[in-house]
Amino acid sequence: MDDGEKALSFRPEWPTSSPCFAAREVGPLRLDHAKLGDRHASECDRPNMDFLGGYPGHEDSFGALRTDMKTKPRKRVAGGITTSQVVLSAHVGGNADAFPEIVALHIPQGSTVADVTYGRGVFWKNIDADWCRVLGTDLKTGTDLRHLPYQAGTIDCVVFDPPYMEGLHRRSKDHLAGNGTYAAFRNHYSNGEANPELSKKLTTPKWHDAVLDLYFRGGEEAYRVLRDNGTMIVKCQDEVSANRQRLTHVEIINFYESIGFYTKDLFVVVRQNRPAISRLKKQVHARKNHSYFLVFVKIPAGKSRASMRS
């Protein structure tokens, strides 16, 4: 027997009844697929590794290899594009500059938005009026943000920007912050009047606690009128009150999460100019030149905060 005959006589330990084995047995000869039948022809046309193992009595290492190959998951291909044109968390400028990006990211088009501290409508200055329906109210329109005129679960988004400095919560109008050259500040961030509740009784929260009380009660009312998965956008700023550092944004987040909100996002707005200080003796805290927009989502009934992913 010459070398060629030896090569043809080689028989691997695969079942000889397989048409795929027959194809390899004849070597260069062509099989008549019509005689083998369509099923056998399709089996012979499969890649070599496809017929390794898997036959009764032949569960060997080849069979294990074949199983591994068939169960191996496909490689995941990442989608998306490469870009730097995304909404950022920090903005240098005014509220009217930052707010449009917050709206684009968190207020779907066609939403009903209750801006309960509308004032002069500064937030909406650079936003297309057709984007959403804005219900603008404040104390000057006779609407108290703690007692909104909306049915429960009827609003898509609440925007909330109350006076966030304790100097704007006083029993007497003469004691309000924002006198003289700062009168414009008082006009933008308050109704220019003393807090009537502070005038009635001494047990009402005062100083920074009066600020928090307004945020907390306003948050509870917003939770009532919001739909499930509704959005609340809150503007606030930290402050030093009675020589004590008060991280207002942290206090608000802690309370809002305790009543059923999920903290979805946070934006920092940095003022462009440097704040001036009168009668400075000794500085012991950094002067605040930034404020926050906090974005909350009302957690639907039956869901937990841990289940909120978007």
Side-chain angles (χ1 to χ4, degrees), residues 283-298:
Q283 184 174 3
V284 294
H285 297 99
R287 176 74 176 191
K288 305 291 186 295
N289 69 329
H290 69 282
S291 56
Y292 300 93
F293 278 104
L294 308 177
V295 181
F296 299 94
V297 174
K298 179 179 177 179

Side-chain angles (χ1 to χ4, degrees), residues 275-288:
I277 304 174
S278 61
R279 301 190 302 275
L280 176 65
K281 294 182 178 180
K282 179 182 179 182
Q283 184 174 3
V284 294
H285 297 99
R287 176 74 176 191
K288 305 291 186 295

